[in-house]
Amino acid sequence: MKNLKNTLFLDLTKNQKAALFSFIKSLVKKHTDLGTDEILELFIEDEQYYYEQNNPHFEWIIEEFEKDKFLKELKTLIKETKKQLDIKTAQKEAQKPYIEKQKAFAKEQRKKAAEFKMSKEQATKKQIYYYNKLCDKYKLKKEETTGLSKLDLKNLIGKILDEHQQKLEEIGLDKKLYE
């Protein structure tokens, strides 16, 4: 892209060139499904329409449309911009599995850190109350909860709920229907 800025539109000012490059890039991003010629036609039609409405993006561009060199350079710019976007898209797709692995690893690390923190904290009254209610509801023998950590109680509660869910699935009931 940097080489294009040095070789295309040499008769335009630095600001004109930057604005045109930016606008073409956003136009190509919007219309990735269209071909180079179609995007060029769309750009020319839009600019003529906005010029007729006295609200052009580029005041100087209407006269330039009559120059073959300008149109050729514009077509080259669109073609190269499409190529650059295709390359970026391909790179993103190639990196996707790696990024997914990183996300999964980070999620696992957060889970381990939370469990470590829970293992150091004392169980809350709500957890103990919930555990006792579950044991009463499913008529299970209660274990001693004094001295247990939040993680220990979470695991006990999870074990009870998992066993109950398995029993429901064995008899063919869905948990949501039962509750």
Side-chain angles (χ1 to χ4, degrees):
M1 218 40 157
K2 293 194 183 248
N3 292 341
L4 287 178
K5 287 184 180 179
N6 296 333
T7 58
L8 296 179
F9 308 113
L10 298 176
D11 50 339
L12 298 180
T13 66
K14 183 178 174 183
N15 290 340
Q16 288 174 333
K17 203 184 294 191
L20 183 62
F21 272 68
S22 175
F23 190 81
I24 292 294
K25 186 175 181 180
S26 67
L27 185 68
V28 171
K29 276 185 181 179
K30 262 190 232 176
H31 302 286
T32 54
D33 55 327
L34 298 178
T36 306
D37 293 328
E38 294 166 323
I39 293 174
L40 179 62
E41 288 175 22
L42 181 68
F43 175 68
I44 293 170
E45 287 174 13
D46 282 354
E47 288 307 310
Q48 287 175 342
Y49 171 77
Y50 285 114
Y51 183 77
E52 290 168 4
Q53 300 298 318
N54 292 326
N55 190 17
H57 294 115
F58 312 103
E59 299 84 24
W60 49 268
I61 205 162
I62 296 299
E63 300 88 39
E64 299 291 329
F65 286 147
E66 296 173 16
K67 298 177 184 174
D68 287 336
K69 180 183 175 197
F70 182 80
L71 293 175
K72 209 180 234 184
E73 290 177 343
L74 200 53
K75 193 172 184 177
T76 304
L77 175 61
I78 292 169
K79 195 181 297 181
E80 288 300 315
T81 305
K82 278 182 72 83
K83 208 181 289 182
Q84 291 293 325
L85 288 175
D86 290 344
I87 290 170
K88 282 185 180 180
T89 304
Q91 286 174 343
K92 283 183 181 178
E93 289 298 318
Q95 291 176 347
K96 206 172 204 174
Y98 177 71
I99 291 170
E100 292 300 320
K101 285 181 184 177
Q102 280 183 325
K103 285 181 182 178
F105 179 74
K107 185 177 180 180
E108 188 66 31
Q109 292 300 313
R110 286 191 303 272
K111 184 178 177 183
K112 283 182 182 179
E115 285 180 352
F116 179 76
K117 183 178 175 184
M118 287 173 69
S119 70
K120 302 295 181 194
E121 294 175 345
Q122 198 173 12
T124 63
K125 290 180 183 179
K126 285 183 178 181
Q127 279 182 309
I128 295 170
Y129 177 78
Y130 186 58
Y131 171 73
N132 290 332
K133 285 296 181 181
L134 281 177
C135 288
D136 292 342
K137 181 178 179 180
Y138 299 125
K139 298 176 180 75
L140 300 173
K141 182 182 173 197
K142 295 179 187 175
E143 293 183 22
E144 184 60 38
T145 57
T146 54
L148 293 179
S149 68
K150 278 185 177 180
L151 181 63
D152 296 333
L153 220 52
K154 176 186 169 217
N155 291 337
L156 282 174
I157 292 169
K159 184 179 171 187
I160 292 171
L161 292 174
D162 288 342
E163 288 173 359
H164 180 66
Q165 180 62 30
Q166 286 177 349
K167 287 178 186 176
L168 287 177
E169 288 173 358
E170 286 173 9
I171 61 172
L173 291 176
D174 187 14
K175 180 180 178 183
K176 292 177 184 169
L177 293 175
Y178 182 72
E179 293 178 342

